[in-house]
Amino acid sequence: MAHLHLHLLSDSTGETLEMIAKAALAQFASVEVERHFWPMVRSQQHLDRIMGTITRYPGLVLYTLVNDTIRDNLEAACAEAGLPTVSALDAVTDPLARLLNQDKMHRPGRQHVLDDAYFDRVEAIQFTIAHDDGLLWEEWEDAEIVLAGVSRSSKTPTSIYLANRGYRVANMPIVVESPPPPALFNLRHPLIVGLTTSPDRLIQVRRNRLLSLNQSPQTDYVDKERVEREVRYARRLFADNGWAVIDVTRRSIEETAAAVINLYNERQARLVNDPDAVGGIKPI
């Protein structure tokens, strides 16, 4: 197995840099990566301290630095040490600068500025947390997206991920013995999406959950026949109401959220031309 020291330098929180590194590393198998994370690098003194570690553990240096002096000094020091450097955003910002005929603003962390979008995202997170697991169903009309699914079908983590993208989300557990509140069937504003999964995968997830809580896995919660009945009931409910359906069996939370966003955008585009077009979305 290959071993890599990956140095991530950012003049802000480093969130963007970490996502880029994660996406790139996903393309390679059998690699043991040791990350060295350096956020808020905004002075030469800070860079000098970091270079000691970088040269001690040589590897790839990935950075997002807008200060030209610090960038130049980092590249010069790495070149002297024979280490490769990559500016993670230049491949996008340089063509943009040429197309827009504008100079880059050289302002660190500008994507995290406290603008209206930031406060909208905070409001979305607060709404989503307050409307988790069927809570405050009488306010679901204020949601943009409502997720429904049986227990452990990734409703809550998908909701939180979507909230971090700025969507107000509520989620509702589907339980055979306890039908959803009637309000769910009369919603007009939110997109309702049913999350389904294979019974075998659901049993595995539930059993792992019980074990993590030091509880016995020998319960109806993981009984194969019961779980299959739950999944059939949920799928029939989704189909009878014409709700969009996403199978999360082999999807990560990010992939599920991306599919939900695509459905939401498609629906919004249809509503521009036809305000009554709220259904008609095929399962994914």
Side-chain angles (χ1 to χ4, degrees):
M1 178 179 291
H3 183 84
L4 171 69
H5 285 282
L6 180 62
H7 299 275
L8 307 173
L9 283 76
S10 172
D11 48 23
S12 186
T13 63
E15 179 182 348
T16 300
L17 193 58
E18 284 195 297
M19 289 191 294
I20 292 172
K22 180 179 179 180
L25 288 168
Q27 303 300 315
F28 301 92
S30 302
V31 179
E32 182 182 359
V33 180
E34 187 170 345
R35 290 176 173 82
H36 305 270
F37 184 47
W38 315 99
M40 308 303 292
V41 182
R42 298 184 178 181
S43 70
Q44 184 61 44
Q45 291 82 0
H46 192 179
L47 179 61
D48 291 340
R49 293 195 300 271
I50 291 170
M51 283 307 303
T53 302
I54 292 177
T55 54
R56 189 160 58 251
Y57 302 102
L60 176 64
V61 179
L62 190 64
Y63 68 88
T64 51
L65 301 170
V66 299
N67 184 287
D68 287 336
T69 301
I70 296 178
R71 283 166 54 108
D72 292 344
N73 291 344
L74 170 65
E75 291 176 353
C78 289
E80 183 177 349
L83 301 177
T85 60
V86 177
S87 178
L89 295 180
D90 280 0
V92 177
T93 56
D94 287 350
L96 278 175
R98 291 192 295 271
L99 286 170
L100 298 173
N101 196 27
Q102 294 184 22
D103 293 330
K104 291 181 286 188
M105 299 186 71
H106 296 281
R107 189 179 301 174
R110 182 168 171 78
Q111 71 272 30
H112 302 294
V113 66
L114 301 185
D115 55 9
D116 289 343
Y118 171 84
F119 290 107
D120 287 344
R121 190 164 65 250
V122 171
E123 190 275 333
I125 293 171
Q126 292 173 338
F127 180 95
T128 300
I129 292 173
H131 297 80
D132 181 44
D133 203 31
L135 294 175
L136 299 178
W137 54 264
E138 63 275 12
E139 298 177 358
W140 284 353
E141 193 63 50
D142 296 327
E144 292 170 296
I145 298 166
V146 174
L147 301 181
V150 300
S151 174
R152 312 314 297 179
S153 57
S154 75
K155 298 184 301 299
T156 294
T158 303
S159 296
I160 296 299
Y161 187 94
L162 288 166
N164 275 281
R165 296 288 301 273
Y167 297 90
R168 298 189 307 279
V169 185
N171 73 74
M172 172 68 201
I174 301 301
V175 182
V176 176
E177 297 81 6
S178 179
L184 179 64
F185 306 102
N186 299 314
L187 296 176
R188 298 293 297 171
H189 175 250
L191 168 70
I192 304 175
V193 180
L195 303 183
T196 188
T197 185
S198 73
D200 289 342
R201 175 59 177 163
L202 190 58
I203 291 170
Q204 179 185 5
V205 172
R206 289 182 175 184
R207 181 174 286 114
N208 290 340
R209 175 62 174 170
L210 291 173
L211 291 174
S212 72
L213 297 174
N214 294 319
Q215 297 180 10
S216 172
Q218 306 304 319
T219 70
D220 288 344
Y221 190 56
V222 293
D223 177 75
K224 184 175 179 61
E225 183 176 339
R226 179 184 174 88
V227 170
E228 289 176 344
R229 183 162 66 96
E230 281 186 71
V231 173
R232 285 196 304 269
Y233 173 77
R235 288 175 173 167
R236 185 168 61 251
L237 183 67
F238 302 155
D240 288 347
N241 289 277
W243 296 335
V245 179
I246 297 175
D247 189 332
V248 304
T249 303
R250 294 180 177 84
R251 294 178 190 261
S252 66
I253 299 302
E254 294 87 351
E255 290 169 331
T256 301
V260 172
I261 292 172
N262 285 338
L263 290 173
Y264 179 82
N265 289 338
E266 290 173 7
R267 181 178 187 264
Q268 294 303 103
R270 288 200 307 276
L271 288 174
V272 171
N273 299 317
D274 182 3
D276 295 323
V278 295
I281 300 176
K282 295 180 180 180
I284 294 181

